[in-house]
Each structure stands twice: as C-alpha cells, then as structure tokens.
Amino acid sequence: MWIDIIIAFLILVAIVLLCVFSLKIDLFLVSFMPLFLIILIKVTLESEKDSGKSSLLSKVSGFFFSFKSIVFTGNFFWITILALCIVPIFVFWFHLSWRKKSSIVSFSVSKIEHLDDSIVSYVMTYIVPLTSLSYSSQLSEYVSNISLFILIMILYIRLDLVYLNPVLMLRWNIFRAVLDGENRFVITKLTYAQFDSKAKNEKTKYDFQKLSNSLYLLNR
C-alpha cells in the first residue's frame, strides 16, 4: 500500500513540476482536461454498469464506489488521469498570478479577427482516445494512446499552438490580432466590438500579459 501511495505522490509531483516549469506544457494539458474528465467518467460508468445495480440511489453510490476502486487501487494510469483533471488548471492560475507584473508588455493593436474553426478541429483529437480507451482496455491500447498524446503534445509545443485551447474559451474570448505589426493571439474578456474599438486607435498602447511568444492576455 505504501508503495502505491509513494508512486501516486511521485506522479503528482512530476505533473506539477512539468506544468510549473513549462507554461506551454501546462496549457497543453489544460486543453486536454475535458478529455481526461470524460474518459474518467466513461470508464467509471462502464465499471458501474458491470455491477448490475438498478435503482437511482444504488447507481449513484455505485458510481462513486467504482470511481474510488478504479483510481485508488494502484492503477497508476487512472491515478495520472485524475491528476491531469485537476493539477494543470490550478498551475495555470499560478502562472497568471506569478507572471502578472513581470511579463507586462505594451502594444498597439491594428487589426483583429475571430479564430476560424481551428478550435473545433483541435477538439476532434479527443475522438481517438474516447473510442479506444475503456474499462477493459488492453496494454497495447494504453501504449498507443499515450504515444499519440505525446506526439500531439510535441507538435503543440513546437508549433506554439497554445491559442488552441477550448478550456480557455470557456472564460475568455480568443482573437487573432496584429500587435505592433506582428501577428499574435490574444485572450481577453472583451467582446469583439470592444476589442475592435481599441484596434481602431492604432496610436494608443495597451498593456498585455505575455503568456508565450504568440499568446497574450489583455485585461479590461
């Protein structure tokens, strides 16, 4: 039991360190949080279905019992999935607070536009794990999905695709903008009309919080 606890703790520490020392990795993991959560719920429901319980109360209690048995019985893959459902977003808020003053830059805005269907296309990468991972998955399915996940992460980081993040879009709007003559991506709570009014005044500089080489946060 202690070995299981130690390994689970090491997994958690490894995820935290990766997210803290690399904002791009953290943003990538944040973008996949809905997938991790959906997969965890999916395998829990599959496990609970096998129990044959019928009443609503028994199904609810069975769901939580199945969740506990899947995650906390030494299956390190599902322990990792649970950690990935929780840790990245908290570390992202840490990045925002920690970088708030040290990463402020000023730009003029000359042009903005909505993102195209890139976000929807990115969400389509969820499909393969959703259709191939289940409560009864074999080792080969775990290995193939982990390999695919690592490949997507490498491309995401190398191509600086941090703006492709459906989770961020739940809180902010994401725009493609020209800042001081350079194409960048901006996350902001401003609506398109509000942000466009700033873009019409090209001589005015606005303060942005730099999140990566291509992604900036604009507060109101």
Side-chain angles (χ1 to χ4, degrees):
M1 178 180 179
W2 283 107
I3 295 178
D4 294 341
I5 294 175
I6 291 173
I7 293 178
F9 176 75
L10 291 176
I11 290 173
L12 179 61
V13 170
I15 293 173
V16 170
L17 290 177
L18 280 173
C19 293
V20 168
F21 288 104
S22 175
L23 179 59
K24 288 185 179 181
I25 291 178
D26 185 48
L27 283 170
F28 171 74
L29 295 178
V30 167
S31 74
F32 267 76
M33 282 176 57
L35 173 64
F36 301 141
L37 182 59
I38 292 170
I39 288 177
L40 203 56
I41 293 174
K42 176 176 179 262
V43 298
T44 302
L45 289 173
E46 289 174 346
S47 173
E48 195 277 330
K49 183 179 179 180
D50 294 338
S51 66
K53 296 179 179 179
S54 56
S55 69
L56 178 61
L57 182 60
S58 62
K59 283 183 176 295
V60 172
S61 62
F63 175 86
F64 288 104
F65 179 79
S66 298
F67 177 83
K68 179 181 177 182
S69 64
I70 289 172
V71 175
F72 299 107
T73 55
N75 190 323
F76 305 120
F77 180 82
W78 298 116
I79 291 175
T80 303
I81 293 295
L82 176 62
L84 290 173
C85 289
I86 301 171
V87 173
I89 193 65
F90 284 102
V91 176
F92 177 67
W93 291 119
F94 166 77
H95 277 292
L96 287 184
S97 302
W98 180 55
R99 293 167 175 252
K100 195 166 187 178
K101 294 182 180 179
S102 60
S103 58
I104 298 298
V105 291
S106 295
F107 293 118
S108 60
V109 183
S110 56
K111 180 183 178 182
I112 69 166
E113 59 185 53
H114 285 292
L115 288 180
D116 52 21
D117 59 354
S118 300
I119 294 290
V120 177
S121 300
Y122 183 72
V123 171
M124 291 301 101
T125 60
Y126 291 1
I127 292 178
V128 173
L130 279 175
T131 56
S132 60
L133 282 178
S134 66
Y135 177 66
S136 57
S137 291
Q138 302 298 314
L139 178 61
S140 60
E141 293 170 312
Y142 289 124
V143 172
S144 60
N145 276 279
I146 291 172
S147 300
L148 175 63
F149 180 75
I150 292 174
L151 175 61
I152 295 173
M153 182 175 69
I154 292 172
L155 293 174
Y156 185 93
I157 294 170
R158 186 172 180 81
L159 298 176
D160 203 15
L161 301 177
V162 290
Y163 64 91
L164 292 177
N165 201 311
V167 175
L168 295 186
M169 293 192 74
L170 297 176
R171 180 177 174 86
W172 293 285
N173 296 310
I174 304 180
F175 301 103
R176 182 181 287 107
V178 177
L179 307 180
D180 280 359
E182 298 287 339
N183 288 317
R184 297 288 186 264
F185 295 92
V186 176
I187 61 174
T188 178
K189 290 184 179 179
L190 297 176
T191 64
Y192 179 86
Q194 291 171 325
F195 194 21
D196 187 53
S197 67
K198 293 181 180 291
K200 291 177 180 178
N201 191 355
E202 298 184 15
K203 295 182 179 180
T204 303
K205 296 275 189 177
Y206 300 98
D207 289 337
F208 293 82
Q209 184 177 348
K210 183 178 179 180
L211 301 179
S212 77
N213 291 331
S214 64
L215 185 67
Y216 294 81
L217 170 66
L218 174 64
N219 293 312
R220 288 183 179 273

